[in-house]
Amino acid sequence: MYKLITSDMDETLLSDKKVITPATVAAIKRASATGVYFVPNTGRSFNSIQDNLIQLGLSQKPDQYVISYNGAAIIENQQNRVLQVNALPYEIVEQLFKIGMREHLCVHVYTVDELYIWNMNDKETDYLNGRVTGWKLMHEDSLKFLQQTPITKIIFNIEAEAQRLSMQDYVEKNVDFALNISFSSDRYIEFNDPSADKGQAVLALAAKLGIKPSEVIAVGDNSNDLPMIKAAGLGVSVANGRDFVQAEANYVTQADNNHDPLAEIINKFIFEEE
């Protein structure tokens, strides 16, 4: 029996209109009522999904959780209590930031509580609106103000896949640190500490809850979701997932993110309804 479902947010749980549709909300509430944990597992901040938690009936609940920043933080929903942080060394973030500046990229820098953005552009603003609020624009070419603050991840907005892959190759050759590098939303290359990925985080949370990996369902669509898809007892790709994600999944939904894939998964694997 599956006891925990963990799901990516953008392009998985959320539709292209940036909402959780009513059928999915109903299915998640139904599963939660039977004692199944539903844990959002996102590259974004836990602060950015509070409205979604309210919609799902999970906001400010004790013994309910969110995994954020690609696994760099585990949060208990009640009072947004931070349980675990796996931060990047400041020197590595600074090196990556200088690479992003040199290439004139839009760069996001995440702490546990804040998102700072350097070189914002209109297309990026349009994408973030409705997903993320309260970011802070950086007007100086320095991260010194964050030198004593844990940084959970840094990402570059690069929309062309070939350029994302080229950037990955460049960073791997020029940054002397075993970064966890992943891609998301077909627009970002993301850099985390090697101790931080969605798979390691969900296994740590499951162990805390006394849940076996075989009792976990993990759902996603892109490369930053692969660690949890591989780690879970049932790894699931939504129908709109990248081909390489579908190839690693135990199950691929018939529905894409606009047509309630989480409801499909819950009905099939939690309640054994076709």
Side-chain angles (χ1 to χ4, degrees):
M1 176 180 176
Y2 296 109
K3 298 180 179 179
L4 186 154
I5 303 168
T6 190
S7 175
D8 176 52
M9 294 292 293
D10 297 306
E11 290 82 46
T12 299
L13 181 64
L14 300 180
S15 73
D16 290 346
K17 294 182 179 179
K18 310 174 187 178
V19 300
I20 309 174
T21 54
T24 293
V25 172
I28 292 171
K29 286 185 173 181
R30 183 185 176 201
S32 296
T34 70
V36 175
Y37 288 93
F38 183 80
V39 181
N41 201 331
T42 179
R44 294 200 264 128
S45 164
F46 60 93
N47 289 318
S48 73
I49 67 166
Q50 294 302 307
D51 288 346
N52 303 122
L53 294 178
I54 291 170
Q55 190 179 11
L56 296 172
L58 299 174
S59 174
Q60 295 300 313
K61 295 281 187 172
D63 198 32
Q64 297 292 336
Y65 305 90
V66 170
I67 296 169
S68 281
Y69 313 117
N70 291 334
I74 301 174
I75 314 296
E76 184 175 13
N77 294 351
Q78 187 176 51
Q79 298 181 339
N80 291 330
R81 187 164 69 98
V82 180
L83 303 181
Q84 176 178 307
V85 177
N86 296 84
L88 278 161
Y90 172 78
E91 294 77 13
I92 300 302
V93 178
E94 186 176 44
Q95 188 176 354
L96 290 166
F97 182 65
K98 288 178 179 178
I99 292 170
M101 285 195 306
R102 187 174 67 243
E103 298 299 319
H104 304 289
L105 301 173
C106 177
V107 181
H108 299 204
V109 180
Y110 286 84
T111 69
V112 175
D113 298 308
E114 301 287 356
L115 166 58
Y116 298 92
I117 300 179
W118 184 86
N119 196 29
M120 178 60 101
N121 58 69
D122 290 342
K123 288 183 70 175
E124 185 68 351
T125 299
D126 290 343
Y127 180 80
L128 292 179
N129 281 334
R131 289 184 170 92
V132 179
T133 59
W135 64 77
K136 297 182 178 180
L137 296 178
M138 296 173 57
H139 300 291
E140 296 184 8
D141 298 342
S142 172
L143 290 180
K144 295 293 186 186
F145 70 102
L146 294 177
Q147 197 162 4
Q148 304 302 319
T149 303
I151 296 172
T152 54
K153 71 170 186 173
I154 177 171
I155 72 177
F156 300 159
N157 171 213
I158 304 176
E159 295 194 22
E161 183 170 24
Q163 292 176 11
R164 291 195 298 272
L165 292 169
S166 177
M167 177 58 71
Q168 178 181 14
D169 183 63
Y170 178 84
V171 168
E172 288 176 340
K173 290 177 179 177
N174 291 277
V175 177
D176 187 18
F177 188 75
L179 287 158
N180 170 20
I181 303 176
S182 60
F183 303 98
S184 68
S185 300
D186 292 334
R187 64 188 295 112
Y188 299 121
I189 180 169
E190 311 211 359
F191 306 98
N192 284 88
D193 190 82
S195 65
D197 65 49
K198 292 186 178 187
Q200 293 182 75
V202 74
L203 291 184
L205 177 59
K208 167 184 167 57
L209 299 174
I211 295 173
K212 301 173 184 176
S214 61
E215 297 171 324
V216 175
I217 299 174
V219 191
D221 71 284
N222 216 318
S223 75
N224 62 335
D225 303 317
L226 278 175
M228 67 174 177
I229 287 172
K230 292 179 179 180
L234 181 67
V236 179
S237 170
V238 289
N240 55 289
R242 297 296 303 271
D243 289 345
F244 58 84
V245 177
Q246 295 189 29
E248 294 286 351
N250 304 115
Y251 178 76
V252 179
T253 62
Q254 296 181 21
D256 64 18
N257 65 307
N258 293 311
H259 297 90
D260 302 301
L262 266 297
E264 176 185 331
I265 293 161
I266 289 168
N267 292 340
K268 182 177 181 67
F269 294 106
I270 301 300
F271 297 108
E272 298 182 351
E273 301 168 354
E274 293 297 332

